[in-house]
Amino acid sequence: MSLTPRRPRSRRLRAVLLGAAAASVVAAALPAPVPLGIGDPLFPHLGNPGYDVLSYDIGLTYLGDNSKPMEAVTTIDAVATDGLERINLDFARGTVHGVEVNGRPAEFASVDEDLVVTPQSPVHAGEPVRITVRHTSDPNAARDGGWVRTTDGLVMANQADAAHRVFPCNDHPSDKAFFTFHVAAPADVTVVANGLPIARERQGGRVVSTYRTSHPMATELAQVSIGHSVVLHREGPHGLPIRDVVPAADKAVLEPWLKKTPGHIAWMERQVGRYPFETYGALIAGADTGFELETQTLTLFERSLFVRPEFPEWYVDAVMVHELAHHWFGDSVSPRRWADVWLNEGHATWYEAKYAEEFGKRSMDQRMKAAYGLSDGWRAAGGPPAAPRASAPGQKIGIFRPIVYDGSALVLYALREEIGTKAFDRLERRWVRDHRDSTATTADFSALASRIAGRDLSGFFKAWLYGEKTPPMPGHPDWHTQKPKHA
């Protein structure tokens, strides 16, 4: 083996070598890379400053074994909002093979759960930037979220902070973007993702399925289903295409539940207006997750929800409506900060309870009275609805406590009692109309409620959303809270 340097054989190779040398000089002049965040109080290291993501293009190669890493390519198109000498992405649990920025090789380093990229030349504010990362996506490495291994493949469960354990991203709901997925898999494997299919091409023994969203989406709502499933098609209101993804062996047993979806959508449209996306459907997974998840246009459900005999019909219906309601509250209108998550879960629980009252004869008043009694205990344990405490280390979904479900639906009940049913219904419709495909805050909701009510409700919201104690319930002086058990 010769140790004598060889001369570059082409202009292309000389340019690559010179570019790499220049990048090394730039990297040497900069301080050591560090993880960043946008300062979300609940997840301070999530998200990254300095750019706005416009779209993700994610390619995955599945070889038929859900225990092995997949080769992947993620391309991010963004606009710089500040001058950037470095670009931080959220990414962990995968191996990075290489990074390009605007088509040129870039230096990169993994620091904690950030991938820190140093382009060959700084990116200026207002400039478009394309970041391409070649990496692996490892189903075994994301035990605290991300990929979920099913009996026959994989699905995603990224809420609240796990999308970056699947693909490099700006992993915060404040930066929504369009998504395209290209998944190569064996021909006998079914692939479905968010949005609608736009291509299906055979490449040797594999088939590449391509899906694209028609509306921007938060990273936590991304979904790709890979497995031996069947896709069932039906039509919803206004010709809305509905496709359900179910284990092939369960098609018959699940059909009595799935055929209810068009009626659920029609009911929700009567409450708050037109369904906000291009398609809907249920993804039934053979996995024990302990939750259902409103992944955009393709809600993830555990198979056990539909086959366990102890669950009454009204309960399963109400859970299906809860996840559907999220497509207005949480998916179309996303939280600006994670502390605004009460707007997601409070509303989904509200419509779950309202549906259970109308079709299951489960009293809304009785449910809210019971929640009122427990509310002080929930506030003591987890904080008030709009100022929840951060979850404990290792408890990534710990913010999803009773206070953000029934405790937050209780706030909406109090608001309806305070301003009246007609004003409340106008508020709900205006909220999802005005903030469609965007993000919003608790302050935005309070301001809109005040405008519709014709009076300042800031005091009402301050007490109900931030108080350590639950305020008196308007119209129900006989309701009382219980003393917290630990007090």
Side-chain angles (χ1 to χ4, degrees):
M1 180 181 293
S2 171
L3 298 180
T4 304
R6 295 182 179 181
R7 295 182 62 188
R9 296 182 178 180
S10 68
R11 292 181 180 178
R12 169 65 179 162
L13 183 54
R14 284 197 297 272
V16 170
L17 293 176
L18 288 172
S24 298
V25 171
V26 171
L30 293 172
V34 296
L36 298 176
I38 60 172
D40 188 300
L42 296 179
F43 296 97
H45 299 298
L46 281 188
N48 292 286
Y51 60 92
D52 174 29
V53 177
L54 304 178
S55 68
Y56 294 92
D57 187 290
I58 300 168
L60 300 163
T61 300
Y62 179 72
L63 299 179
D65 186 339
N66 68 358
S67 66
K68 292 184 178 179
M70 292 176 283
E71 290 299 323
V73 179
T74 296
T75 299
I76 301 170
D77 283 308
V79 173
T81 55
D82 293 308
L84 295 171
E85 294 184 315
R86 282 196 172 123
I87 303 167
N88 279 52
L89 302 173
D90 297 306
F91 186 56
R93 316 299 167 85
T95 300
V96 178
H97 302 313
V99 181
E100 291 183 354
V101 176
N102 292 334
R104 303 170 71 189
E107 295 289 311
F108 61 90
S110 294
V111 186
D112 290 342
E113 296 199 349
D114 271 21
L115 174 63
V116 185
V117 177
T118 306
Q120 292 187 24
S121 56
V123 178
H124 301 289
E127 289 184 348
V129 57
R130 171 170 287 185
I131 309 155
T132 301
V133 184
R134 293 182 294 106
H135 62 96
T136 62
S137 190
D138 192 348
N140 287 314
R143 296 182 183 88
D144 49 357
W147 288 115
V148 174
R149 293 170 63 186
T150 67
T151 52
D152 66 339
L154 295 167
V155 295
M156 287 187 196
N158 296 329
Q159 197 178 77
D161 68 333
H164 68 281
R165 298 187 183 100
V166 176
F167 56 92
C169 56
N170 200 26
D171 197 5
H172 194 274
S174 61
D175 193 1
K176 298 167 71 166
F178 293 90
F179 278 73
T180 301
F181 298 94
H182 313 272
V183 183
D188 65 338
V189 171
T190 300
V191 173
V192 183
N194 307 98
L196 293 170
I198 61 170
R200 191 172 186 270
E201 301 175 358
R202 184 176 290 273
Q203 295 183 359
R206 299 176 189 163
V207 172
V208 179
S209 301
T210 301
Y211 283 78
R212 182 170 295 156
T213 66
S214 301
H215 298 262
M217 181 170 72
T219 51
E220 51 121 355
L221 302 173
Q223 184 60 269
V224 174
S225 167
I226 305 171
H228 295 284
S229 305
V230 294
V231 182
L232 308 176
H233 296 276
R234 67 193 81 235
E235 190 174 284
H238 323 292
L240 177 75
I242 298 174
R243 56 21 179 163
D244 301 309
V245 184
V246 305
D250 293 324
K251 177 180 175 181
V253 72
L254 293 172
E255 178 59 22
W257 297 109
L258 299 176
K259 70 181 182 181
K260 295 185 175 200
T261 296
H264 292 162
I265 296 173
W267 183 83
M268 274 299 303
E269 289 191 339
R270 291 195 295 272
Q271 313 308 307
V272 293
R274 192 83 169 244
Y275 176 73
F277 296 114
E278 65 271 24
T279 186
Y280 185 67
L283 166 58
I284 314 299
D288 296 320
T289 59
F291 54 81
E292 328 301 330
L293 186 59
E294 63 274 14
T295 42
Q296 190 164 306
T297 73
L298 187 62
T299 292
L300 175 64
F301 291 99
E302 290 181 293
R303 175 184 180 275
S304 60
L305 174 69
F306 302 98
V307 299
R308 287 173 57 178
E310 65 267 34
F311 292 153
E313 182 176 3
W314 69 263
Y315 172 79
V316 177
D317 269 334
V319 172
M320 293 176 73
V321 169
H322 178 110
E323 302 305 329
L324 172 63
H326 271 306
H327 282 70
W328 284 264
F329 302 95
D331 292 11
S332 180
V333 185
S334 298
R336 189 82 48 81
R337 305 174 309 150
W338 274 110
D340 299 314
V341 72
W342 79 272
L343 287 164
N344 300 16
E345 299 300 346
H347 277 102
T349 303
W350 174 262
Y351 290 104
E352 165 200 325
K354 193 173 182 183
Y355 189 92
E357 179 175 58
E358 186 170 336
F359 294 97
K361 302 190 185 306
R362 316 300 294 186
S363 169
M364 168 80 83
D365 287 348
Q366 289 302 311
R367 179 169 177 170
M368 292 298 101
K369 184 177 182 180
Y372 188 83
L374 297 170
S375 181
D376 276 359
W378 292 340
R379 289 170 185 251
R389 296 196 187 102
S391 54
Q395 302 293 321
K396 297 297 185 180
I397 59 174
I399 63 170
F400 295 96
R401 307 178 179 100
I403 192 63
V404 304
Y405 290 95
D406 279 58
S408 296
L410 187 66
V411 176
L412 298 176
Y413 183 91
L415 178 61
R416 190 183 70 172
E417 297 295 283
E418 177 75 17
I419 67 176
T421 299
K422 289 184 177 181
F424 181 83
D425 290 346
R426 288 198 303 273
L427 167 63
E428 296 290 275
R429 287 177 171 270
R430 278 282 304 277
W431 176 252
V432 296
R433 186 192 74 188
D434 290 358
H435 298 285
R436 184 179 180 181
D437 288 338
S438 188
T439 64
T441 67
T442 297
D444 294 329
F445 189 76
S446 173
L448 181 60
S450 295
R451 288 198 298 273
I452 288 176
R455 55 192 172 93
D456 183 10
L457 294 171
S458 59
F460 169 91
F461 282 108
K462 181 178 180 180
W464 275 95
L465 293 174
Y466 299 100
E468 292 184 6
K469 299 292 184 180
T470 310
M473 177 58 71
H476 296 276
D478 57 319
W479 286 16
H480 302 287
T481 58
Q482 301 170 14
K483 186 177 180 180
K485 291 182 180 180
H486 67 275

